[in-house]
Structures are given as structure tokens and as C-alpha cells.
Amino acid sequence: MPKADSDDSTTPSGDTASSKKKKVASSRKTPPNEATGKRKPANQTEHSSMSKTATAKANPTALALQSSQPLVGRRQIMKRATTTIDPIFGLLELYGKQAVAEGRARYAIDCFDESLPAPHHRQPRVTLALDKFAISAAEIDAFFDETPEFAQHIADTWIGANSREEHHKQLQLDVEGFQRVWSSLSYEQARDEYAAAQAAEHETLQEIERAVPITVEGCAALASFLLSIITEGGVEDDTLGASHCNNLLRALTRLSRRPVPDVVGYYHSNYSFD
């Protein structure tokens, strides 16, 4: 009786069962790349696996990030970092330099007195009390030795009142400073330089008044500058501070894309018991 499950049974394609098993086994041994004529280096798969393992151990997040990076033509696409420089910084930096120059020119013009005969040199002096000055070390000592109670009253009530030693030191510094100015500038030169420094500083202040920041950092810089005006003084025109506030609000509205919040303002005049 024939065996239906014989290993040499014939399949519909004409192949015996044993030959079919051999073909399947052979195909499993042959990688797909080799079947199409493309041979992969023997150690490529192993090297790639080891590389990923080493990367994962060295940086656990690096391996996960590798698959998320977009690639075009096997080259990584890098996002270019774009930085916007706010023009307000240039204006504030310029104003800072001009403010220093204006202070230097103001010190120089204070070394002269136009009402005095040429060369209009003003005598250095220190302020001891209201309408009381000293132009020499002897006058400073006399103030503290001859009127000790008054000197103590000034020390107790005046903000920033100087001691005897501090007055001596300040007078000596003023004498040396005035002499440096007198040896470098005439009264006319000091006057012209001071006028030019004031004009340049005023022009930059007007540019800052019209400037609207374009970055959040620029808004913070303008707010800091405005705060210095309010706390340190130097600008008596209240409309300047109001202009800076309006520009700051416009900039924040532009950057946040939201309207200005409707808040209750602070009114100094609203001082009552109502």
C-alpha cells in the first residue's frame, strides 16, 4: 500500500516534498540583498547595532533624537538660529555715552564763572551748610571748631552731610580737578563743548522718545530706562515719561498680539476720605 505521507510525494508543481523543503531552507540562508546581487558588508549590521548601543549608554536621549531628525539626501537639516537686534539698544547705548560726555562738559563749565574777569576761573569751594561755603582748609576747620553745635545739627539733619575729613578731601579733589580743566580749556571752549554735549544728548532723547521696541528684551530695556528717569530725575518734562509709557504699551501689544489690559490707574490727585 502506498504511503500518502512519504517524503518523496509529488506536489502540484511537480516538485517533491523533500526538494521543496530544501528550497525553503536555502532561501532562509540567503539574505535578501544577496539574492538581488547587493551584498552588505559582513560586519555592517553588527557595527550599527553596537554603535546604537554605545550611543544609548553614553547619552540616553541621543538615540531617541536621532530618529526624529529630518534627513534629506542623507544630510541632517539644521535649523538656523535667528536673532533680532532691537534698535532701542543702540539708542540707549548712544545715550549712555552722551550722558557721560555731558557730565564731563558740565563739570568743566562749572570750573568757570562768566561774571568774573577773564580767565573767569571760579574758586573751588565746598558746601558746609545752607548758604555757607568754605574755599580753604582753614575755613573748614573754623566751621567745626567755632560752631560745633551747629556743625552737629547739620550732621544730624542733612542727608549726606560730610564730616570734617570728607570736606577736606572733597576740597582737595576740586582744586586738582579745576586746575586740570583750566590747563586744558578756556571758558569759551568749555561753554561751546557743554552746549554741543547738551544738544547731542537732547537729540538722542528725542529719538528714544519716538522709538518703539520690537523685542521683549527691548521692552525691558525701555522700561528700565524709564524707571531711571522716574527714580533718578534729570528730566523735568512729564510728557517724556508718558511718551515712553505709550511706546512700551504699543510694543507689548504688538509682541503679545493682545490688547492692553483695562486696569484702574493710580491717581495721585485722588487723595480724599470719600
Side-chain angles (χ1 to χ4, degrees):
M1 179 179 295
K3 295 182 181 179
D5 296 332
S6 174
D7 291 342
D8 295 330
S9 60
T10 304
T11 63
S13 60
D15 295 330
T16 61
S18 60
S19 62
K20 184 177 180 181
K21 291 181 181 180
K22 292 180 180 179
K23 288 183 179 181
V24 172
S26 177
S27 63
R28 290 177 179 174
K29 294 180 181 180
T30 306
N33 288 340
E34 293 184 6
T36 57
K38 298 179 181 179
R39 297 184 59 85
K40 181 187 292 187
N43 62 343
Q44 180 174 343
T45 304
E46 181 181 358
H47 175 76
S48 176
S49 177
M50 293 177 62
S51 176
K52 291 182 178 181
T53 303
T55 303
K57 291 181 179 180
N59 189 350
T61 60
L63 188 59
L65 292 176
Q66 286 178 3
S67 59
S68 62
Q69 295 290 343
L71 297 177
V72 175
R74 308 187 71 84
R75 297 182 65 181
Q76 187 173 359
I77 299 176
M78 302 298 294
K79 294 182 179 180
R80 295 183 179 180
T82 58
T83 56
T84 302
I85 300 178
D86 200 318
I88 195 71
F89 286 104
L91 290 174
L92 293 177
E93 182 180 2
L94 176 61
Y95 175 77
K97 295 178 180 179
Q98 291 174 337
V100 172
E102 191 274 342
R104 183 177 183 275
R106 180 163 21 95
Y107 180 88
I109 195 63
D110 286 345
C111 297
F112 298 91
D113 188 345
E114 187 180 13
S115 63
L116 297 175
H120 310 290
H121 289 176
R122 184 173 72 84
Q123 186 70 27
R125 64 183 185 181
V126 294
T127 303
L128 301 175
L130 184 63
D131 296 329
K132 186 172 183 61
F133 308 96
I135 60 174
S136 66
E139 292 182 357
I140 295 175
D141 291 334
F143 172 73
F144 285 93
D145 294 337
E146 298 174 6
T147 57
E149 294 181 358
F150 182 56
Q152 186 62 44
H153 172 73
I154 295 298
D156 294 338
T157 58
W158 273 37
I159 298 177
N162 291 333
S163 63
R164 181 199 302 256
E165 293 75 14
E166 290 172 335
H167 279 304
H168 279 294
K169 182 178 180 180
Q170 184 60 53
L171 182 60
Q172 183 61 33
L173 291 175
D174 287 345
V175 169
E176 296 174 355
F178 278 39
Q179 290 177 347
R180 286 195 302 270
V181 172
W182 295 336
S183 62
S184 303
L185 300 171
S186 64
Y187 164 71
E188 291 76 16
Q189 289 174 321
R191 178 194 59 197
D192 294 343
E193 288 188 6
Y194 181 54
Q198 277 189 313
E201 183 187 21
H202 179 69
E203 181 179 355
T204 303
L205 273 176
Q206 288 184 321
E207 292 186 28
I208 296 175
E209 181 179 353
R210 295 188 295 267
V212 178
I214 61 175
T215 63
V216 176
E217 292 80 4
C219 293
L222 181 59
S224 178
F225 180 71
L226 177 60
L227 183 61
S228 70
I229 293 179
I230 296 173
T231 57
E232 298 177 11
V235 178
E236 298 178 357
D237 189 359
D238 291 339
T239 59
L240 181 61
S243 177
H244 286 315
C245 285
N246 288 329
N247 286 342
L248 185 58
L249 290 175
R250 289 171 56 195
L252 291 174
T253 301
R254 176 192 300 171
L255 293 172
S256 64
R257 297 181 181 179
R258 296 181 179 179
V260 177
D262 186 13
V263 297
V264 177
Y266 180 79
Y267 301 99
H268 290 279
S269 59
N270 189 25
Y271 183 77
S272 63
F273 198 67
D274 296 339

